[in-house]
Each structure stands twice: as C-alpha cells, then as structure tokens.
Amino acid sequence: MSASPGSVAEIQALIRSAAAAGTPLIPVGRRSWPGAGGWAPKEGRALDTTPLKRIRHYEPADLTITADAGIGLDELDAGLAENGQWLPIDSPGAGSGTLGAAAATGGFGPLRQRYGATRDNVLGLEVVTGDGRLLRLGGRVVKNVAGYDLVRVFVGSRGSLGVITRVSMRLFPRPEEDRTLIYRVRAERALAMATALRRGHLPVAAVVLGSGGMEGGGGRAATLAARILGGGRGAREITGRVVAALGADPDEALRDEASRRFHDRHRQWEDDARLMVRLRALPDRLDEVVAIAQPVAAAVAGEIAADARNGVVRVKTPAAPAGRDEVVAALAGARGRVEALGGSLALDDAAGELGRRVGWVGRGGGAGGIVRRIKSLFDPHGVLAPRCPE
Amino acid sequence: MIQQSLVRELRAICGSYGVLDDPDALLVYESDALTAYRHRPAAVVLPRTTRETRESVAAIARHGLPIVPRGAGTGLSGGAVALNDAIVVGTARMNRILGIDAPNRRAVLQPGVINAELSVAARRHGLYYAPDPSSQTTCTIGGNVAENSGGPHCLKYGVTSRYVTGLEVVLPDGEVIRIGGQGRDAPGYDLVGLFVGSEGCFGIATEIEVSLLPVPESVRTLLAIFDRIEDAGRAVSEIMSAGMLPAAMEIIDGATIRAVEDSVFAAGYPTDAEAALVIEFDGLEAGLKGDAERARRRCLATGAREVRTAQDEAERAALWKGRKKAFGAMGRIAPDLLVQDATVPRTALPSVLRGISRISARHDLVVANVFHAGDGNLHPNILFDRRDAEELERVERASKEIMRLCVDAGGTITGEHGVGLDKKHHMTLIYGPDELNAMWGIRRVFDPGETMNPGKVLPDETQPVAAAVPA
Ligand SMILES: Cc1cc2nc3c(=O)[nH]c(=O)nc-3n(C[C@H](O)[C@H](O)[C@H](O)COP(=O)(O)OP(=O)(O)OC[C@H]3O[C@@H](n4cnc5c(N)ncnc54)[C@H](O)[C@@H]3O)c2cc1C
C-alpha cells in the first residue's frame, strides 16, 4: 500500500491527513535502500516521491541545477553529459536511486576527497515537514550563509524530518579523461600500496580495494584500483607518478568508458547485499579496520571492499545470515574493536532481527537531547516513521 | 551595570586577567569590523579552557544575563556586538593548536587559533587549511566556523563547512557536547553542518577539528585588465562553462583600482581600466600551462585589453596586491564604508553589475566593487560619511535596492559575512514565515532561553508567539 502524490500540495495534504489519522508514512524514492540502515521501519505507508521528476532550473554556465526529488540520478546524468558536466555522487547504490534519495541519505563514496560529499554540494532544498509545512531552504547559488543552515540537517535525515521535494545542486565539469589503474596483488600488498598513495599526496581521485569475488580471485587475492580524473597532460602526469609511487606497472589500465564502468560496478557492488556492514575509522587505520572486518567476513561468508581514502571498509553477503549467535558475536566484537580505534560499525542492510540484536549503529553521539528535539520540531506528530538513532 | 558578585565568580574561574569590566578596556569590544553598530558589553570574559568556558557560561546563565561569543572581532555583520548589556565570552586566550594529524590530514584546535597560523603550522607537513578569508591573518577559526566563512580559493575548494569535521560545544546552559570528530561520518543528523554558520547563537565552539589539504605543487596566476566590468563578468562565466576550475577568480572594479593606485598600496594596475580580474590555477605543474593559456585566450576574446602572467612568486604577489589591499585602500578615501555581501548566479553577474551602477548613480553614491567573481559573491561597497545624515539615508536606500536586485536575480543576501545585526531585516526578502519560524525553532533546540547572542540573525518581528519546540 503506497501513496503516489502528483504534486507538492498533494504531499502536504497527505501528510496532514496522516497526522490526523495517526498513520505513519515512509518517504521513498526508487526503493533501492528501503530500510535506510535501520532508520525506516517495515510498517508504515510508503509515500512515493518518484512522480515528481521535472528539471526546474538548469543554466549550464552557472554549474548548478534544480530538479524535483523523484528524478533518477541516471536520468539527470544524461542531460548533464550533453553539457560536459556531472554530479559526482558515487555513494553506494546512488546511480540507480533518485536525486531526492541521494540528498535524504546524504552519503559519500570514494570521490569525496576530490569533490566533497553529497552534503557539501547540496545548495538548497524544498521539503515538506511532518506537520505539512513547505520549507524552501538555502538557494541555488554556490555561496549562501543567510540564516541557520537547515539544509544540512535535512541532508542525511533519511526521511525522518520531512519529504524532500526539490533539490538544488552544485555541478562540476565532467573530467576530460577518466583513467583507472588496476593492480591484482595479495591483500597485504594492496594495503601497502594504498598507504603509499595516501602518503604521496598525489591527486588521485579515488582508491578502492576489493577482495574475494569482487574482481575475481579468492582468498587473500585483492584488487587495488586508483582512479585519475582530469585533463590530458595532468592526467598523464599523475598516472606516471602513481606508477612510480607503487613501483610496478598496473595489471590493467582502463580508460574513459571502461574506467567509468568499473567504478559504476563498484558502486553497485552492494546492490545484491542482504547483509551490509560498514566499518569506518581514520584512513591511516585502514589495515587495522580490514583486520577487524576479516572475522566478520568469515562468519558470514562475505566479501570485503574498501574506500581507502575515506577509511571505509564494507563487508557484504548476498545471502541472509540469520541472527545466529556466532554472527552476532562477530559483529559485536568487531564493533568493540573499531570503536576502540575511534571509529564506528553500522549495519547498512540486515535482517530486522540481526539489526535489533546487534544494534544498527552502535555508540550514540552524546547529543541525544538535541536529536530528539530536532525530530519533534519538524515532525511534532511523529507522522514520519523513520527515526534517527541517537 | 554588572553585579560585582558575578565578576568575582568569573575571576575565580578565569583568573584576574581573564575578566575585563573596566569601561575603557571594554571600548575595544563595542563593535566588530562593521563599526556602524556599537554597544559596550557589561564585561568580557576570556577563558583559557573548555572547563573555564563551561563554568563561566554556567555562572552567567545563573545570573540570567545574555552571552555573546567573540573571536577576533573582524566580522562584517555586527555578529559579535553585545546588545542589552550582554557579557562577551572571547576566545583570544584559547589559541592553541592541539594537534596536527598529518597522516589523516586533520588538525584539532582551540577556537581562538588565527586562520593563517593554522596553515603556517600545517605547512611543515606539506598541508594547509583551505578556506582563506581575506582577513585570514587576523580572524579566528571559531569565528570562521560561526560565520561559515569563505575566501578567494573557495571557488575550487569550497567554504568552511566542508572542512569542519568535529566540534566540542559549550551549550547556553553550560552543558558540553561533542559532535562529529575523527571525521564527520557517523550515522545521524549532521549536527556539525548545522552548527557551522550558526553565528554564535547555538553555543560556543571550544574545540574544532578540521581537515587539511596537501599544498598544491604549483600555482599560475593571471591578471586580466578590462575596459568594461561586464566583460570581466562574462569572462568569468565563460571560463567556468568551458570546463576549467580555477582555484580563484576575483574582480576589482575601476573605482577600487583607482583607490588602490592612489594609496600606499599601489599595485601597478592601469587607473583608466574598469575592471581587473585575477585568475589563479593550482595543481600539478603539468596541467597548469594549458589551463592558463586557455583562460588567457578567453579573457582576450571577451574584451580584455591585456593579460599579465606571473612568472614567479614575487610577480604573483604583485598581481594579487591590488585585490588584497582593496579594503585597506578604500578605508583611506572615505570615512565610512558599508561592505555588502550578496551572491548571484554567475551568469547574472554582468546584468547585476550594471544594475548596481545604476542604483549608485541614482542615489549619487560611490560604490566600489570587490568580489569573489567565480562564486558570484559580490561585495558592492558603499563609500560615505556617516556625519552626513542625508547621505546616510541614501546609503540605506541604495543598500536595500542592491539586496533586492541580487535576490531578484536568483541570489541571496549574504554569501559569507553572515546576517548578524546588519542583515536581519533583509531576511524576509528571501524567507517566508514558515522558514523563519523553523529557524526560530532550531535556535531554541540549542538555546531554549535565547541567551546566546540574542537579537541576531532573525528579524524580531517574525518571532513566533508560542515556542515551537517543547523544552
Ligand atoms: C578586511 C576584511 C576582510 C574580510 N574578508 C572575508 C572573506 O574573504 N571571507 C569571509 O567569509 N569573511 C571575511 N571577512 C569577515 C570576517 O573576517 C569573518 O566573518 C571571520 O570569520 C570572523 O572571525 P572573527 O574571529 O573575527 O569572529 P568575530 O567577528 O569575533 O565573530 C563573528 C561571529 O562569530 C561568533 N563566534 C566567534 N567565535 C565563536 C566561537 N568560538 N563559538 C561560537 N561562535 C563564535 C560571534 O558571536 C559572532 O557572531 C573579512 C573581514 C575583514 C575586516
């Protein structure tokens, strides 16, 4: 049972009547991440945002775009490509999702070092809050400090504070060249290479690592992929320096379309996950975090992938491990160890029972009072079912 | 008049040098760099640590007095002005860099650290702090966080918000919270992003974690001279739409050029020109030459009469000099200066610049434009003499018209200086009652008693009758 309002006014009306009836709503885009990492409960009526999908304002020379929340990032990208521009959102799963969901989940992917996270590039939002009010926040200019920055609190609020109906984003020139150098090496060597790249301060756009089934090979075999974006001479120069820093020629060098496809695949890697665990700590702890992730991968027969620049390590399995005691113990143990490093372990996807037993996000931030008050400010009747963990 | 018992309490917390209540000593604190607004605080407290800040805030709260956080006082919107006998809590003695974590390109600081000093300290590790307000040799990181400050190089690198990854905050009741930290990635609401730009109204940032960037290997700087400012504006928008991403693109107009050249800061810009555009590229040496050449050709094609290129660091400094000394030079030609700060879409620059010159002509005022052109962030500065009441009135009318012009062009009323006292009455140009109500609500989430920097940012008349948030 879901509602598909065809206008913002209908969304407002729907929210108001849901508030009166006391029936919870869950805003959704293309439903590629319905549980939203434990924020969205299973029960509740879905509020479909995909009927609203027009581009409202696009002046290429401004490098900004304003569009309805329901437009797919893939649809948007096609139009931007014609003008040599792009929206470098590469958070996991983002390619198949909507613009509104990208803003609502506020994630980031390996390109963050180069382009910033989604939250850094959202310029403005239009949002219907839990009491049916329409707020127009921020704007469509790239610098704006007029008033408190409410945009930031809605980006990443995962549908718990309001339904995002329109988004203004900062755009970037599409890189002239897209190259990826691929090294197939043992896992320890891949980690050492990632460290060398980090220390070298080279302007590599992204460094990702995969193990297990990701790029073939099993056991301790791993893949390191270094992505280089830029104009001709610059890209060639960086490529040369990366090869020099790593002391070896790549096993494969991908260009343009092939390079993009490789990273699209990497982004979609978790699409079939039934269990997805995300560990994160400071980038120089990557080796330790991978070591912490390994017993989890073993317990669930999963694969590991890492975003080296951002210190993110993910474990996924396409099978659904039940809340078996050893899986729970492995996850709890890993969370303890990564939190001791100052990091975190979150379940991005999991069966409800496992999520409840392990806890979706772990240690809270210590600002629970503020989190609760923000929720009751924007959703005073508790109509929007998703909840932010405190 | 401040109660002596409170002064004694604060001295017990911060030491006898940590509290100022002598009227002469308080004079320095009566305004920020926008000197049009002056109010002397009841006292100034200068804690050295989070503990001293927390205890001071709690003591002041017990006495029911309002608090105004203050960094270096370089703000340009009246944000650090103490209304209604508020007590200023200054961060001048909290000026230590607590650590630079080079492997993770991260630094942890006390809020009173001067922006430029962080980059100096980080340089040893091949790193620097990207947001570079023109006031960077004097303003504090705490002030930058509160204002979400920008700077010339934010065109390529983004503003303060992108670089703040963690905060320790003393809330108005003295409670201390930590948000973010070791990156800003933990799941949950982006409270760090919400706090950045809160203009001292949500609490006092007592510890700040920021991310650093590697120092670019090479830099190329160009200076293009134009006979028409609209052409310079067009050059900016063409360079951007051609797919180049310069680190900075800054314009100073003819009035500013002449002010600079007439001053001790003379930089050798031609005084008959109507605009000078500074363009800078940074990155690996290999890519820069091509970029600089393409930008040079674009400038010539849009009507630049000449394009100079810096060959070394000394020449680079010379090309920047006119831009960097613009404010200093203007200060010398008129007793008063109203620095405006609006952002418009880049493509609207030429038409908005024409509009500004029409407005200034109509009101018979001198307006000098200095701005972060790449971001569309304008600073039309009105030169005047406040002793002339009639002129002051024209200044106010022109200022409002300029704001309206920028908003109508799809822009906003402040790009980096904040709302403070100065722009709070312009907030209704861009926000309706629901948005302002939501902002009141979020302020009360942090500051239910409205004791932290009261009277700033939100226009008084929009204040909702009933509190939006249950306490
Ligand atoms: C010549 C000149 C050039 C300038 N150029 C630029 C520019 O290029 N870009 C730009 O963005 N700005 C610019 N500014 C404006 C100003 O320098 C910035 O806004 C700066 O960030 C203010 O820092 P400050 O330490 O002086 O803060 P203050 O002026 O002392 O305070 C500013 C605000 O921050 C609050 N505050 C200060 N410290 C804290 C804290 N620790 N916790 C909470 N709140 C706090 C205060 O209450 C106040 O509301 C310029 C100013 C001048 C005079």
Side-chain angles (χ1 to χ4, degrees):
Chain A
M1 185 185 65
S2 97
S4 296
S7 70
V8 171
E10 279 178 45
I11 293 179
Q12 290 179 277
L14 197 73
I15 287 185
R16 291 206 175 104
S17 63
T23 46
L25 292 171
I26 305 174
V28 298
R30 286 182 179 170
R31 299 175 202 244
S32 54
W33 195 31
W39 288 43
K42 291 265 180 305
E43 56 291 345
R45 185 171 181 212
L47 191 163
D48 178 12
T49 56
T50 55
L52 300 180
K53 52 190 302 182
R54 273 177 52 195
I55 290 176
R56 298 289 169 168
H57 192 274
Y58 176 39
E59 178 63 63
D62 285 334
L63 279 110
T64 60
I65 193 163
T66 302
D68 291 343
I71 194 168
L73 289 176
D74 43 6
E75 297 165 279
L76 205 53
D77 192 60
L80 298 176
E82 282 169 27
N83 291 295
Q85 299 183 342
W86 74 329
L87 195 54
I89 296 182
D90 66 338
S91 39
S96 47
T98 61
L99 175 64
T105 54
F108 64 89
L111 288 175
R112 175 170 72 168
Q113 292 289 332
R114 166 74 174 259
Y115 293 101
T118 303
R119 65 167 175 247
D120 300 312
N121 296 317
V122 176
L123 305 172
L125 290 177
E126 192 183 85
V127 52
V128 179
T129 56
D131 53 1
R133 274 191 267 193
L134 177 66
L135 303 180
R136 294 197 176 88
L137 305 169
R140 58 183 172 86
V141 287
V142 294
K143 270 172 89 183
N144 187 351
V145 295
Y148 307 127
D149 198 355
L150 295 182
V151 170
R152 254 26 74 190
V153 86
F154 283 97
V155 173
S157 64
R158 302 192 192 176
S160 64
L161 301 177
V163 181
I164 295 172
T165 54
R166 203 177 280 186
V167 185
S168 295
M169 297 289 305
R170 176 181 182 160
L171 302 173
F172 291 85
R174 228 177 176 78
E176 278 166 47
E177 283 189 30
D178 192 327
R179 302 182 177 213
T180 297
L181 306 181
I182 294 183
Y183 292 85
R184 294 204 178 77
V185 290
R186 295 179 58 77
E188 301 76 37
R189 174 94 184 100
L191 285 168
M193 287 175 137
T195 305
L197 289 177
R198 180 167 50 73
R199 294 217 177 114
H201 289 337
L202 287 168
V204 179
V207 179
V208 296
L209 299 158
S211 79
M214 188 191 157
E215 278 300 313
R220 308 291 292 158
T223 305
L224 174 132
R227 187 178 196 181
I228 295 149
L229 300 172
R233 281 199 57 192
R236 272 198 304 283
E237 171 78 19
I238 302 169
T239 307
R241 291 204 207 173
V242 168
V243 171
L246 298 182
D249 283 330
D251 293 295
E252 210 179 330
L254 306 177
R255 291 285 294 268
D256 301 327
E257 200 41 49
S259 174
R260 271 191 292 279
R261 263 204 314 276
F262 176 89
H263 293 282
D264 283 347
R265 266 202 317 280
H266 181 74
R267 197 181 55 206
Q268 291 155 6
W269 175 73
E270 67 176 50
D271 284 1
D272 64 349
R274 301 285 292 279
L275 172 68
M276 171 59 65
V277 184
R278 169 192 293 261
L279 299 94
R280 190 203 59 89
L282 290 171
D284 74 334
R285 311 311 280 271
L286 190 70
D287 298 29
E288 291 157 87
V289 179
V290 167
I292 291 170
Q294 266 153 358
V296 175
V300 302
E303 299 163 28
I304 294 181
D307 165 2
R309 279 291 167 91
N310 292 307
V312 174
V313 176
R314 291 179 294 153
V315 179
K316 85 150 183 186
T317 167
R324 278 179 295 126
D325 293 344
E326 40 307 9
V327 174
V328 173
L331 286 166
R335 175 172 284 153
R337 291 165 68 198
V338 76
E339 286 185 351
L341 294 181
S344 61
L345 180 153
L347 302 181
D348 279 358
D349 272 305
E353 193 214 333
L354 188 63
R356 271 190 304 280
R357 284 185 65 187
V358 178
W360 295 92
V361 296
R363 193 164 61 194
I370 287 177
V371 168
R372 281 190 297 277
R373 283 150 78 176
I374 291 175
K375 171 77 174 170
S376 67
L377 172 65
F378 294 115
D379 183 22
H381 316 295
V383 184
L384 300 168
R387 284 203 85 85
C388 172
E390 285 162 16
Chain B
M1 216 44 236
I2 181 167
Q3 291 154 347
Q4 280 311 306
S5 62
L6 176 56
V7 172
R8 273 196 303 278
E9 239 180 288
L10 294 172
R11 288 221 162 96
I13 297 165
C14 300
S16 51
Y17 296 115
V19 182
L20 311 175
D21 66 338
D22 174 63
D24 291 339
L26 295 176
L27 212 56
V28 211
Y29 294 90
E30 70 175 14
S31 79
D32 63 7
L34 182 69
T35 52
Y37 300 95
R38 294 173 196 267
H39 291 270
R40 201 176 300 188
V44 173
V45 194
L46 301 167
R48 287 161 292 198
T49 60
T50 300
R51 189 184 57 80
E52 290 183 5
T53 309
R54 167 169 57 80
E55 291 178 2
S56 303
V57 166
I60 300 166
R62 275 195 303 276
H63 285 255
L65 291 177
I67 293 173
V68 178
R70 184 179 177 104
T74 68
L76 285 169
S77 52
V81 172
L83 302 173
N84 308 323
D85 276 340
I87 295 187
V88 164
V89 177
T91 59
R93 296 203 297 170
M94 297 178 78
N95 57 359
R96 281 186 306 126
I97 296 175
L98 300 173
I100 292 181
D101 171 11
N104 294 306
R105 298 179 189 167
R106 192 173 68 102
V108 179
L109 335 152
Q110 287 191 309
V113 170
I114 303 296
N115 175 301
E117 283 173 9
L118 172 57
S119 286
V120 170
R123 205 167 176 106
R124 248 180 295 133
H125 308 278
L127 301 170
Y128 79 114
Y129 179 63
D132 59 340
S134 310
S135 52
Q136 71 178 149
T137 53
T138 42
C139 66
T140 67
I141 299 284
N144 296 170
V145 167
E147 300 289 3
N148 192 11
S149 299
H153 292 83
C154 293
L155 170 57
K156 178 167 174 185
Y157 294 104
V159 295
T160 302
S161 175
R162 179 165 161 188
Y163 294 90
V164 180
T165 55
L167 292 168
E168 177 190 77
V169 175
V170 174
L171 294 175
D173 59 0
E175 189 196 340
V176 181
I177 57 166
R178 282 187 168 272
I179 49 185
Q182 301 218 357
R184 185 169 139 198
D185 302 336
Y189 295 149
D190 182 11
L191 299 179
V192 171
L194 180 59
F195 188 90
V196 174
S198 60
E199 301 200 24
C201 301
F202 293 0
I204 303 175
T206 45
E207 202 177 292
I208 299 167
E209 179 187 287
V210 297
S211 59
L212 305 170
L213 293 182
V215 175
E217 181 180 290
S218 268
V219 179
R220 274 281 195 303
T221 309
L222 313 171
L223 176 72
I225 305 292
F226 291 84
D227 292 324
R228 288 167 12 123
I229 192 164
E230 296 96 297
D231 293 343
R234 233 162 13 97
V236 166
S237 127
E238 289 201 10
I239 286 169
M240 292 297 287
S241 46
M244 287 174 259
L245 185 51
M249 281 203 278
E250 301 277 311
I251 292 181
I252 69 174
D253 72 357
T256 312
I257 293 173
R258 288 181 282 280
V260 170
E261 293 304 321
D262 280 347
S263 76
V264 293
F265 305 122
Y269 292 16
T271 52
D272 61 339
E274 283 313 316
L277 166 62
V278 179
I279 305 170
E280 188 154 281
F281 291 95
D282 68 7
L284 291 190
E285 178 61 27
L288 292 185
K289 216 174 134 202
D291 279 342
E293 180 52 28
R294 279 166 73 203
R296 193 182 72 87
R297 274 189 263 121
R298 290 272 162 177
C299 288
L300 292 172
T302 50
R305 79 152 90 133
E306 77 174 289
V307 181
R308 302 179 190 171
T309 318
Q311 302 301 333
D312 56 33
E313 193 48 41
E315 287 184 24
R316 173 175 174 239
L319 297 190
W320 269 105
K321 190 172 174 193
R323 166 64 185 93
K324 296 213 162 160
K325 295 298 178 189
F327 282 98
M330 274 187 265
R332 278 152 216 255
I333 57 172
D336 294 287
L337 181 66
L338 181 69
V339 181
Q340 307 244 31
D341 167 44
T343 312
V344 298
R346 243 175 320 251
T347 47
L349 277 175
S351 69
V352 168
L353 289 165
R354 266 196 308 278
I356 291 173
S357 81
R358 269 198 301 272
I359 292 170
S360 58
R362 193 163 57 240
H363 294 284
D364 191 22
L365 291 166
V366 180
V367 175
N369 290 286
V370 178
F371 55 103
H372 310 302
D375 285 324
N377 187 184
L378 292 161
H379 293 318
N381 303 306
I382 309 183
L383 302 166
F384 67 105
D385 182 348
R386 77 173 44 259
R387 289 164 300 188
D388 180 343
E390 186 271 332
E391 187 178 43
L392 192 60
E393 226 167 78
R394 279 184 284 132
V395 169
E396 271 157 23
R397 275 203 303 275
S399 147
K400 188 134 204 176
E401 283 174 34
I402 291 174
M403 284 297 140
R404 156 83 55 207
L405 173 75
C406 293
V407 170
D408 289 346
T412 189
I413 59 169
T414 171
E416 57 179 21
H417 293 166
V419 176
L421 266 181
D422 189 46
K423 302 233 176 56
K424 65 177 187 168
H425 297 292
H426 297 327
M427 286 284 278
T428 50
L429 288 176
I430 46 170
Y431 293 119
D434 284 337
E435 287 81 13
L436 292 170
N437 217 347
M439 288 188 196
W440 276 112
I442 208 80
R443 181 200 226 290
R444 286 174 184 155
V445 161
F446 287 87
D447 180 24
E450 261 173 70
T451 51
M452 204 41 98
N453 211 1
K456 307 291 167 63
V457 183
L458 300 172
D460 315 319
E461 64 278 10
T462 63
Q463 181 146 8
V465 190
V469 199

